[in-house]
Amino acid sequence: MRRIVVYGVTGSGKSTLAARIGQRLGVPYHSVDDLTWEPGWVQVPDEVQRERIAAICATDSWVLDSAYGKWRDVPLARADLVVGLDLPRWRSLGRLLRRTARRVVLRTEICNGNRERVRNLVLSTDNIVVWHFQSFARKRRRMREWHADPAMPPVVLLRSPAEVESWLAGLR
């Protein structure tokens, strides 16, 4: 396994797991947010996102921490494995809220120097917590459909932190 997509709902731990997989396997990890957001929370145009992902996926080894609908077909066509984080809503939402609060308080830089801000969470309907609620059922359903689809690359569904740790411990 040298080409892996980690997929899951917002706050499920995709980036953390993808980085750990990359480190464990000695495979380059790529943060999708770094490829799709420029400084100032300027979204990269769709065609540029697709070009960036295609360039990564053309290589022999990579781990991506998501697969956005605009270009999802590109990594899925080359992936050796999809790891789905199929965690319950309470767990992913709790992680998301803790992570977001920590980032706001500590003013943590995330993708390309961007920071999460209180005003974006309170005054914007386009914030990460709202996105969690809007996308949870769709992303969960998609993972489960992929898991059942023989045309897909192998899909591992992990439903708890203990399953994640056990699976990662057995990864070679």
Side-chain angles (χ1 to χ4, degrees):
M1 295 178 295
R2 307 290 295 168
R3 296 182 304 269
I4 301 168
V5 174
V6 177
Y7 193 83
V9 302
T10 304
S12 60
K14 298 179 299 292
S15 299
T16 300
L17 180 58
R20 290 178 70 194
I21 292 169
Q23 183 177 29
R24 183 149 180 113
L25 296 178
V27 171
Y29 156 64
H30 301 275
S31 167
V32 168
D33 284 347
D34 285 339
L35 302 169
T36 57
W37 293 102
E38 295 294 342
W41 290 112
V42 174
Q43 190 168 20
V44 173
D46 294 350
E47 63 277 1
V48 176
Q49 288 184 36
R50 190 172 185 85
E51 289 169 7
R52 290 176 177 183
I53 295 298
I56 290 166
C57 293
T59 66
D60 291 333
S61 58
W62 41 264
V63 180
L64 295 176
D65 62 4
S66 195
Y68 293 172
K70 300 168 188 171
W71 44 258
R72 184 180 310 119
D73 59 307
V74 176
L76 291 180
R78 298 235 336 128
D80 298 323
L81 178 69
V82 176
V83 178
L85 290 174
D86 190 10
L87 304 177
R89 182 187 297 271
W90 66 268
R91 173 136 358 240
S92 57
L93 181 59
R95 284 180 171 182
L96 176 64
L97 293 172
R98 282 189 303 278
R99 178 191 81 189
T100 301
R102 186 173 48 252
R103 286 177 174 175
V104 167
V105 168
L106 298 176
R107 298 188 34 79
T108 305
E109 284 190 12
I110 48 178
C111 54
N112 293 315
N114 292 308
R115 291 182 168 90
E116 293 182 24
R117 300 196 190 296
V118 171
R119 73 170 181 248
N120 296 10
L121 297 172
V122 176
L123 302 175
S124 172
T125 57
D126 185 27
N127 71 60
I128 198 150
V129 176
V130 170
W131 179 247
H132 173 87
F133 281 98
Q134 290 175 341
S135 64
F136 183 88
R138 180 180 65 250
K139 288 181 177 182
R140 186 175 231 195
R141 183 176 50 253
R142 183 174 294 131
M143 280 185 285
R144 292 174 178 184
E145 288 170 355
W146 289 348
H147 186 256
D149 185 350
M152 286 291 295
V155 177
V156 174
L157 291 182
L158 304 171
R159 293 185 168 96
S160 71
E163 283 187 16
V164 170
E165 292 305 319
S166 177
W167 179 81
L168 195 56
L171 191 60
R172 295 187 201 102

